[in-house]
């Protein structure tokens, strides 16, 4: 139910605009699709499971059937744990979409068992950070042509209390901790946001704003691995906490705020919660770590070091 949950009150429309949302067949992503659809936007649902995504799209259309001035919903395949899938998806979007006004990097995995991506990276770092890093940079030229545009990275307050371990990003020398791996991937989301905003400004690319956010603690499918990661004796605590969790609709509000609200239209590189900017952790403001993560990520996903120069 969420005892404290801010709401995006903006009435901004998305008529004639295109928004891409990753991992949005359930939870806060699905709620974000419905909101953008209701605002008249063309919403591209980029999801791994096309069958579930199409079912979600039909469900949203049914829920909105009595509303006017709706947009349209398009479904496309995207598996963020596969660089091949990401590149194929980006290629399709660049050819089919005339513009990309909003990109919401919403998809994520949380506290899953130790697993590797198709390309050999720890699943949470590979999906939550590297996957979205690659997708964003591949789509960036089109985003820059669609200004004013926004890039929204869904992170978590879980980014606090950890640092990037650049000596072992893949958890090959440390004992694997699904919780710490998740925290590191969420810290990477905030650092990526900060560094992307800095590099856009440094390269005199204007009109593209970047946001990271904590949606709140939400009852969604994302936490399905959590029960497997904690001792049985603490499940009562999880059950108690669930009474205070937000609904997916409540959890989507800060994402929607960052994507459409006029009040943050001139802000970039900041971190948000409850529909307002907040201070992230000290490590999330570490400029050296942000630069290093950028450089390392470019190499890991196979992009050129002079990426921004190539966009001019």
């Amino acid at each position: 139910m969420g005892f404290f949950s801010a709401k995006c009150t903006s009435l901004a429309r998305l008529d004639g605009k295109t928004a891409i949302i990753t991992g949005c067949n359930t939870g806060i992503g699905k709620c974000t699709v419905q909101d953008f659809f209701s605002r008249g936007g063309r919403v591209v649902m980029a999801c791994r499971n096309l069958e579930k995504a199409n079912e979600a799209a039909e469900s949203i259309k049914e829920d909105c059937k009595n509303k006017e001035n709706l947009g349209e919903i398009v479904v496309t395949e995207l598996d963020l744990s596969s660089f091949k899938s990401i590149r194929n998806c980006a290629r399709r979007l660049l050819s089919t979409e005339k513009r990309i006004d909003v990109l919401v990097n919403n998809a994520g995995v949380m506290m899953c068992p130790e697993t590797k991506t198709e390309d050999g990276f720890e699943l949470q770092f590979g999906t939550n950070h590297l996957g979205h890093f690659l997708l964003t940079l591949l789509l960036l030229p089109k985003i820059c042509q669609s200004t004013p545009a926004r890039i929204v990275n869904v992170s978590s307050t879980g980014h606090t209390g950890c640092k990037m371990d650049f000596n072992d990003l893949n958890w090959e020398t440390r004992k694997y901790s699904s919780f710490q791996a998740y925290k590191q991937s969420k810290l990477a989301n905030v650092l990526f946001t900060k560094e992307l905003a800095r590099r856009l400004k440094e390269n005199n690319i204007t009109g593209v704003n970047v946001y990271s956010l904590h949606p709140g603690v939400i009852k969604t499918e994302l936490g399905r691995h959590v029960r497997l990661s904690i001792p049985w004796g603490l499940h009562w605590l999880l059950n108690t906490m669930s009474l205070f969790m937000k609904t997916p609709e409540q959890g989507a509000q800060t994402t929607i705020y960052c994507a459409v609200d006029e009040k943050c239209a001139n802000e970039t590189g900041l971190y948000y919660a409850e529909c307002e900017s907040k201070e992230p952790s000290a490590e999330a403001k570490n400029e050296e770590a942000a630069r290093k993560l950028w450089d390392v990520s470019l190499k890991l996903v196979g992009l050129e070091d002079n990426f921004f120069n190539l966009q001019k």
Side-chain angles (χ1 to χ4, degrees):
M1 54 183 170
F3 280 106
F4 177 70
S5 181
K7 183 175 177 61
C8 176
T9 57
S10 172
L11 300 178
R13 297 282 301 172
L14 292 176
D15 303 286
K17 296 187 176 183
T18 297
I20 297 170
I21 307 174
T22 67
C24 52
N25 59 283
T26 61
I28 64 175
K30 182 181 177 182
C31 292
T32 305
V33 173
Q34 183 160 329
D35 180 272
F36 291 178
F37 176 60
S38 297
R39 293 174 188 268
R42 173 178 168 86
V43 190
V44 180
M45 299 177 66
C47 301
R48 182 173 56 84
N49 189 315
L50 289 179
E51 182 179 356
K52 289 184 178 180
N54 279 305
E55 289 175 358
E58 292 306 312
S59 170
I60 291 169
K61 291 174 184 177
E62 178 64 23
D63 289 344
C64 296
K65 65 182 180 182
N66 294 323
K67 294 183 179 181
E68 297 180 349
N69 301 316
L70 298 170
E72 58 181 318
I73 299 176
V74 179
V75 171
T76 194
E77 185 175 11
L78 172 64
D79 181 352
L80 284 158
S81 67
S82 163
F83 290 167
K84 180 180 179 181
S85 175
I86 294 167
R87 289 181 179 276
N88 287 339
C89 178
R91 196 175 297 115
R92 284 195 307 274
L93 292 172
L94 292 174
S95 65
T96 61
E97 303 307 316
K98 296 179 180 179
R99 55 188 303 115
I100 300 175
D101 302 270
V102 180
L103 171 63
V104 178
N105 290 319
N106 168 80
V109 289
M110 178 182 180
M111 294 177 65
C112 49
E114 185 173 9
T115 314
K116 292 290 197 295
T117 68
E118 180 179 286
D119 303 279
F121 299 101
E122 188 275 320
L123 185 62
Q124 296 183 90
F125 179 72
T127 301
N128 297 351
H129 170 61
L130 289 179
H132 282 128
F133 178 88
L134 177 58
L135 178 68
T136 301
L137 294 196
L138 292 175
L139 297 180
L140 192 58
K142 181 79 72 174
I143 294 171
C144 290
Q145 295 167 11
S146 310
T147 55
R150 305 190 193 190
I151 299 169
V152 181
N153 297 318
V154 179
S155 180
S156 167
T157 190
H159 81 274
T160 59
C162 77
K163 294 183 178 182
M164 299 302 302
D165 188 337
F166 290 105
N167 294 319
D168 190 24
L169 290 172
N170 236 8
W171 291 84
E172 293 171 336
T173 61
R174 292 172 288 170
K175 181 180 179 181
Y176 186 70
S177 166
S178 61
F179 181 51
Q180 291 300 323
Y182 173 73
K183 289 168 71 67
Q184 182 173 252
S185 73
K186 294 289 103 178
L187 173 60
N189 292 153
V190 186
L191 289 172
F192 170 45
T193 300
K194 182 181 182 67
E195 185 64 6
L196 177 55
R198 188 190 72 78
R199 288 180 182 255
L200 286 167
K201 182 178 180 180
E202 181 181 76
N203 287 271
N204 298 314
I205 299 173
T206 60
V208 179
N209 291 348
V210 195
Y211 311 78
S212 65
L213 65 97
H214 169 55
V217 181
I218 306 150
K219 266 187 194 174
T220 71
E221 293 182 4
L222 186 61
R224 58 187 175 274
H225 296 295
V226 175
R227 288 185 180 274
L228 301 176
S229 304
I230 63 174
W232 176 260
L234 293 180
H235 281 200
W236 66 269
L237 179 60
L238 196 62
N239 292 334
T240 302
M241 286 176 58
S242 69
L243 298 175
F244 302 91
M245 290 179 180
K246 292 182 179 183
T247 64
E249 183 180 3
Q250 290 172 328
Q253 295 305 306
T254 302
T255 298
I256 296 166
Y257 173 84
C258 290
V260 307
D261 205 295
E262 303 87 344
K263 291 191 288 293
C264 61
N266 297 316
E267 298 172 352
T268 189
L270 302 181
Y271 172 77
Y272 297 78
E274 300 301 341
C275 296
E276 61 181 19
S277 62
K278 303 282 188 179
E279 283 293 310
S281 71
E283 191 59 25
K285 295 184 286 185
N286 185 326
E287 294 181 1
E288 181 180 352
R291 288 188 178 92
K292 187 169 184 178
L293 178 64
W294 179 280
D295 292 338
V296 169
S297 299
L298 278 179
K299 290 181 174 62
L300 294 178
V301 302
L303 291 178
E304 299 285 345
D305 289 342
N306 60 340
F307 175 80
F308 267 104
N309 291 333
L310 296 174
Q311 307 313 303
K312 295 179 179 179

